[in-house]
Structure formats: C-alpha cells, structure tokens
Amino acid sequence: MPHSTDAPTHALKADSFGRILLVQGPQGPFVRRDLGATPLWLRVPAWWLARREARALRHIEGMADVPQLLDWDGRHLDRSFMAGDAMYQRPPRGDLAWFRAARRLLQQLHRRGVAHNDLAKEANWLVTADGRPALIDFQLAVIGHPRSRWMRLLAREDLRHLLKHKRMYCRESLTPVEKRVLKRTSWVRELWFAIGKPVYRFVTRRILHWEDNEGQGPKP
C-alpha cells in the first residue's frame, strides 16, 4: 500500500476530474489519480468514475498488461506504473505482431467479464517499453457475465475500436473477417452517435473546455 511519505514526481495529465501523477514510492514508481483538485461540483462524478475504475481493476487483478490496483481510499486511486508510450506517441505502424497481441489482450479481458468501453482513444492503448500492447484508464469499464448478450455486444465494440486503429496503422493486414466486423454497426454505436456524442462534446468542450479527440483524449 502506498506510504504517506510518497512524493509525486510530476503530473502525467490534468483535467476537470482530477490529476494523474507519477509518484515515487518506497517500492518504485506508481500512478495516482488525485481527486483533491477536482472542483466541488464535479466531485461526485469524479468519485464515481474513480470508484468504477477501482472495481474493474480489482476484477482483473493479476492479469498482465493492465494496471494493478494498489489502493483506493475515496480520494486517491493508486495503480501500478507501466513504462511505455500512448499509441499516438509511438504508433505501431505496420506492426502486425502488436495488433495480434492486442487482440489476445482484449480476449483475456473479455473472458474475465470486463469490457473496457473507451478504446477509441489512442491514449488508452500503450506501446510498452518492450513493444507490447497494454491498456489503461478503466473509468468507463463495464463488468458482467462474459457470455451475456450485453457483454458480448460491448466486447464486439471494443474489438471494432481496435480494428479501427489497425486500419489506421496496419491497413494492409486487415483480414476479410475484420473488414466485415468494421462494416457492422450495433445499436449501441448508433445511439452513441445520435445522442451520447453530441452531449459528450457539449459537456467536454463547452463546459469543461477539454481539447478532446478520438485519438488522444484530454490534453494535460
């Protein structure tokens, strides 16, 4: 468990829902989501999102290439640090092995009954220091029975987002089946584009003043 004398080294990201800090602890570096700087009117949704992430990380404890939950006290969420770069910082161009490994990683996640639910953002995909894929930011993750209709639908949406990135960086390696998956749309996607995304854009750009996009997410 993180120690009270841990000292933050620098901020990795900051937005209206708190700060993400790289902290040097006695056992090495870890990442802290600090809700202390969140405005009062956003503290409830910020707490809810952090609590949701903590629950998802507990559910996938021990899984490789995802963060490990270290502590959650209602104000700070501490998770293990994974050395690497966001996909948009180190694009896996032409790297078919990376995309194959990323698909296996998604399959492991889904078999454990977790859908990430926010994989359109390249910032949530890491290329680790040794070139492997990894996933971060489980604030929107959904937990459920992996064979339920709802979870299979969400898993397919996770896969579609991965294939969109593959189409961007490794288009020539898309298989006929993957191309068909990309063409198929679900009612979840249609509902998001019809209702969810306009609301999301209004809140993030007009109220929170985020410079957000599908690739990188909120700027530090």
Side-chain angles (χ1 to χ4, degrees):
M1 182 176 292
H3 194 274
S4 60
T5 59
D6 295 333
T9 55
H10 67 274
L12 299 176
K13 171 184 167 182
D15 59 35
S16 302
F17 290 109
R19 297 178 299 166
I20 306 297
L21 305 171
L22 180 62
V23 179
Q24 185 62 47
Q27 306 301 320
F30 64 91
V31 176
R32 167 170 291 168
R33 182 181 296 278
D34 180 10
L35 307 185
T38 307
L40 285 174
W41 65 284
L42 283 175
R43 287 192 178 178
V44 170
W47 172 86
W48 182 81
L49 289 169
R51 178 176 175 270
R52 191 183 185 99
E53 181 169 24
R55 181 170 176 259
L57 294 182
R58 287 193 188 99
H59 202 77
I60 57 176
E61 181 180 2
M63 182 176 161
D65 298 319
V66 296
Q68 300 300 300
L69 181 66
L70 303 177
D71 190 37
W72 162 240
D73 63 6
R75 178 172 175 175
H76 301 118
L77 186 151
D78 295 340
R79 62 171 174 82
S80 59
F81 170 72
M82 294 186 293
D85 299 296
M87 180 191 284
Y88 69 90
Q89 297 172 319
R90 187 180 162 196
R93 297 186 188 279
D95 191 346
L96 180 57
W98 189 93
F99 282 100
R100 285 175 173 168
R103 184 159 186 170
R104 290 194 297 270
L105 178 59
L106 268 189
Q107 290 170 340
Q108 294 173 39
L109 185 72
H110 296 153
R111 280 197 293 267
R112 290 178 178 240
V114 176
H116 188 283
N117 217 31
D118 197 20
L119 294 182
K121 293 180 180 177
E122 294 189 15
N124 292 340
W125 286 99
L126 290 188
V127 180
T128 64
D130 59 0
R132 299 190 324 277
L135 294 172
I136 60 171
D137 196 350
F138 283 76
Q139 292 187 96
L140 298 181
V142 175
I143 299 173
H145 193 288
R147 294 186 180 180
S148 71
R149 186 174 180 179
W150 176 239
M151 291 301 293
R152 285 188 284 116
L153 178 61
L154 293 181
R156 188 163 62 246
E157 287 301 301
D158 276 355
L159 175 60
R160 284 187 71 254
H161 288 309
L162 171 61
L163 293 180
K164 286 181 180 180
H165 298 313
K166 184 177 181 181
R167 184 173 59 191
M168 172 68 72
Y169 295 120
C170 205
R171 178 183 288 268
E172 68 282 357
S173 297
L174 282 171
T175 68
V177 172
E178 290 172 339
K179 290 176 182 178
R180 288 197 296 271
V181 171
L182 281 168
K183 289 180 180 179
R184 290 179 61 188
T185 59
S186 69
W187 64 265
V188 171
R189 177 184 180 277
E190 298 303 324
L191 185 64
W192 167 250
F193 276 96
I195 301 175
K197 195 158 189 176
V199 173
Y200 171 81
R201 283 180 170 171
F202 177 80
V203 172
T204 56
R205 297 181 182 182
R206 299 294 183 88
I207 299 177
L208 302 179
H209 303 294
W210 287 356
E211 296 177 14
D212 193 24
N213 59 51
E214 285 290 281
Q216 301 180 19
K219 307 292 184 183

